[in-house]
Amino acid sequence: MRIAGERVDDDPRARRRQRGGVVSLLMQDPFTLLNPLRRAGRQIADGLPKGADAGVEVPRLLAEVGLPANVAGRYPFQLSGGMRQRIGLAAALAGGPRVLVADEPTTALDATTQREVLALIRRVQRERDMAFVLITHDLRLAFSTCDRVMVMYAGRVMETGRAADVRREQFHPYTRALLAAEPPADRRLAVIPSVPGAVPAHDATAGRCGFADRCSLAVPECRAGSAGATSRTRTGARPRRAAVGVPAGCRAARAVRAGTGGRPQAAGRGRAAAGGA
């Protein structure tokens, strides 16, 4: 993995200087993210560059995430869930990162607070002109938040493309399964859709489609280790969409390309990684 041409996935000890200042992480649960025995201001100050004036920078960061300066003197248990997540965001921004990775940043929040926190993250991203990588199980959230979407299963990329393209049509059966797993808001279902089986070990799916054992559309070559990428391109343009690891014989991919659609499934577990730049 490279950021601005420099590898960031080799020796962890050599990459310490990049943490916070180049890449920063906003974690899922703000209550476990923060140390309950330390005041919020001190935890934000931990991420500041060497030589920065905490007395100036901490109130500035609190204001940036919509909190008053006196919140710096409070402990995490004295704050609401939304305030704690804003503290976590302020701490993540303290080093001035170029990339913010948010891992399910709204899961522990109520619906109203979720919208507020997501709007805040997007505003801060635009103002700071930094990249934003959102990790989520909710594809619809990824569609509404990110520019590009990368769908992953069993540790591997299944499909990638612009958010609007993936929203319109899905090439990989697993992407379709993720969307089918969301119950409709306009009617009741007698049975919630699901897929039998479980997510395999990462090393058990090398060289083949990781979803094949749970896919009702799978063909022999899906399990034979002959999976390749299918993509659509415009003449003279870079690939716009790619279903990674989908073999040429995949009935679902063929059906999508033919315009007949594939039978959607629902998924039990999985993860969609989406990034907006």
Side-chain angles (χ1 to χ4, degrees):
M1 180 180 295
R2 297 179 182 272
I3 296 178
E6 187 173 358
R7 284 197 61 174
V8 294
D9 61 342
D10 46 5
D11 184 359
R13 292 170 296 182
R15 300 304 166 199
R16 289 176 182 171
R17 62 183 176 81
Q18 295 178 320
R19 298 173 189 166
V22 177
V23 182
S24 196
L25 174 65
L26 179 61
M27 297 177 66
Q28 179 172 343
D29 187 346
F31 197 73
T32 56
L33 163 69
L34 301 173
N35 186 332
L37 302 179
R38 303 182 69 214
R39 298 180 190 273
R42 292 185 59 190
Q43 300 192 57
I44 296 172
D46 287 343
L48 291 172
K50 187 176 181 180
D53 185 348
V56 174
E57 292 300 313
V58 169
R60 182 186 64 80
L61 287 164
L62 286 171
E64 186 175 11
V65 298
L67 293 175
N70 61 12
V71 171
R74 301 185 192 178
Y75 290 95
F77 66 84
Q78 296 175 311
L79 306 173
S80 67
M83 294 175 72
R84 286 194 293 265
Q85 192 62 296
R86 289 169 186 261
I87 294 294
L89 177 59
L93 297 174
R98 287 183 286 168
V99 180
L100 176 65
V101 180
D103 184 2
E104 301 275 10
T106 61
T107 299
L109 307 176
D110 62 77
T112 300
T113 307
Q114 286 180 9
R115 289 193 297 271
E116 294 174 352
V117 170
L118 283 172
L120 170 64
I121 293 173
R122 288 293 282 173
R123 176 180 62 78
V124 170
Q125 179 219 353
R126 289 192 299 269
E127 291 175 351
R128 287 178 170 247
D129 193 27
M130 65 180 179
F132 172 50
V133 179
L134 172 68
I135 302 173
T136 179
H137 286 83
D138 187 344
L139 262 183
R140 300 192 189 280
L141 174 62
F143 293 154
S144 64
T145 305
C146 300
D147 300 317
R148 294 189 60 82
V149 169
M150 187 178 294
V151 181
M152 301 183 69
Y153 180 82
R156 288 179 170 79
V157 177
M158 296 286 104
E159 181 168 354
T160 182
R162 294 183 301 194
D165 295 335
V166 180
R167 184 205 297 262
R168 184 170 54 252
E169 58 179 351
Q170 303 80 46
F171 280 180
H172 198 285
Y174 179 62
T175 311
R176 301 168 72 81
L178 279 177
L179 290 173
E182 182 176 332
D186 58 346
R187 65 188 186 278
R188 287 181 176 272
L189 296 180
V191 178
I192 300 295
S194 64
V195 171
V199 177
H202 295 180
D203 59 358
T205 60
R208 67 184 184 92
C209 179
F211 191 56
D213 292 340
R214 304 180 70 190
C215 180
S216 64
L217 300 170
V219 294
E221 53 184 303
C222 295
R223 302 182 178 88
S226 58
T230 63
S231 64
R232 296 188 312 176
T233 62
R234 295 167 296 182
T235 303
R238 296 176 60 188
R240 182 164 63 92
R241 287 286 309 284
V244 183
V246 179
C250 177
R251 286 192 288 153
R254 288 205 313 265
V256 170
R257 288 196 296 270
T260 58
R263 184 169 68 84
Q265 305 178 70
R269 288 178 55 202
R271 173 155 292 208

